[in-house]
Amino acid sequence: MVGVKIDLHTHSADSDGTESPADVARAARAAGLDVFALTDHDTTSGWKDAGDTAVALGVSFVPGMEISCTTEDGISVHLLSYLHDPADPQLLAEVESSRSSRLTRAERMVELLSEDYPIDWDVVREHVHEGATVGRPHIADALVSVGVVESRSAAFASVLSTRSRYYVPHYAPDPVHAVRLVRSAGGVPVFAHPLAAARGRVVGPEVFEAMIDAGLAGLEVAHRDNPDDARALLSRMASEHDLVVTGSSDYHGAGKPNRLGENLTSVQSLVRIEEQATSGVRVRHP
Ligand code: AMP
Ligand code: FE
Ligand code: FE
Ligand code: ZN
């Protein structure tokens, strides 16, 4: 089992990645992965295509999703869910609320940006795949296309930052509530890049404790946005509370520098995730 390459966090164009779900599976094969999870923001629409292509190419597929959450203090938290029932009514209702609020919010941000830059909603829409979860990365792509910035990263460092005058927040469920929803949908909740300070404010110990009490299964420790000292702290927290430790790339195709397989999850951790899933949704093997 040594040398099995498992990457549990990737995005397709069904959210803010740049490749179709099937192409993410092809990229996973090309990167030499044995197992990968597709975890688009607030949607499971890519599961079938990504899974079909993965198994046809000899790669195992873990169905997942990354749930946008916001604490009552307005801190953004991302919660990975693995192997949940994609039709669970309560979970579906929450992600649908986030998705529709994301759309209104993106339109509002574009309206504000259009006062100073040559951009409008039609330009942004060209960068959003049919039915995809809309986010700031799509606005970034539009800004790149009209020459306002050079890259998504440059857009996030300036006009799209949370501190920018064009920034507008969107509705998202509380992370403690989201942990409960994932568990009741039979899924396995893992806190994504929990101490990614460069993205904005991160939560304190009280939020970790409340999420753990609500049934949090694991922590994504090996992720490029968690600084080294934060990883050490997260590893200690994981052993103290017997949480599953994961590692992943958070691949977004050409949308981010993150490369498939740059961080990996152990076989033991994946087994523990599978053991905790109760929805009937399983890992798909070739
Ligand atoms: P949103 O959810 O619409 O507020 O936008 C946040 C999303 O933008 C996250 O899911 C990230 O994948 C992406 N993102 C954050 N920072 C960057 C960056 N510097 N470059 C490219 N994408 C980013
Ligand atoms: Fe993203
Ligand atoms: Fe995330
Ligand atoms: Zn992600």
Side-chain angles (χ1 to χ4, degrees), residues 16 19 37 40 46 73 78 88 106 108-109 119 123-124 130 132 138 163 178 186 200 217 220 228 251 259 262 270:
D16 56 355
E19 299 164 342
D40 276 311
D73 298 333
H78 286 179
D88 180 83
R108 181 66 191 138
M109 283 185 73
I119 186 182
V123 181
V124 176
E130 175 83 38
H138 303 107
R163 290 173 300 278
E220 188 181 53
D228 286 345
Y251 178 72
R259 293 301 91 194
E262 68 177 32
L270 179 57

Side-chain angles (χ1 to χ4, degrees), residues 200-252:
R201 288 187 296 153
V202 296
V203 299
E206 65 293 341
V207 174
F208 277 93
E209 274 162 36
M211 288 171 73
I212 292 167
D213 288 347
L216 185 69
L219 300 175
E220 188 181 53
V221 176
H223 183 292
R224 66 156 69 204
D225 294 352
N226 293 325
D228 286 345
D229 55 337
R231 293 190 200 195
L233 173 68
L234 291 166
S235 299
R236 281 199 300 278
M237 207 186 296
S239 38
E240 195 177 318
H241 296 279
D242 197 27
L243 299 171
V244 179
V245 166
T246 69
S248 54
S249 64
D250 205 352
Y251 178 72
H252 282 67

Side-chain angles (χ1 to χ4, degrees), residues 101-109 135-136 167-170:
S101 174
R102 281 175 159 286
L103 181 59
T104 325
R105 169 271 201 144
E107 287 169 344
R108 181 66 191 138
M109 283 185 73
R136 282 180 286 162
Y167 182 79
V168 177
H170 65 81

Side-chain angles (χ1 to χ4, degrees), residues 13-15 17-20 125-134 138:
D14 283 19
S15 63
T18 57
E19 299 164 342
S20 70
R125 209 166 42 196
E126 284 169 29
H127 298 273
V128 184
H129 282 240
E130 175 83 38
T133 302
V134 179
H138 303 107

Side-chain angles (χ1 to χ4, degrees), residues 9 41 66 78 193 199 250:
H9 185 165
H41 299 285
E66 185 172 22
H78 286 179
H193 45 74
R199 291 169 177 245
D250 205 352

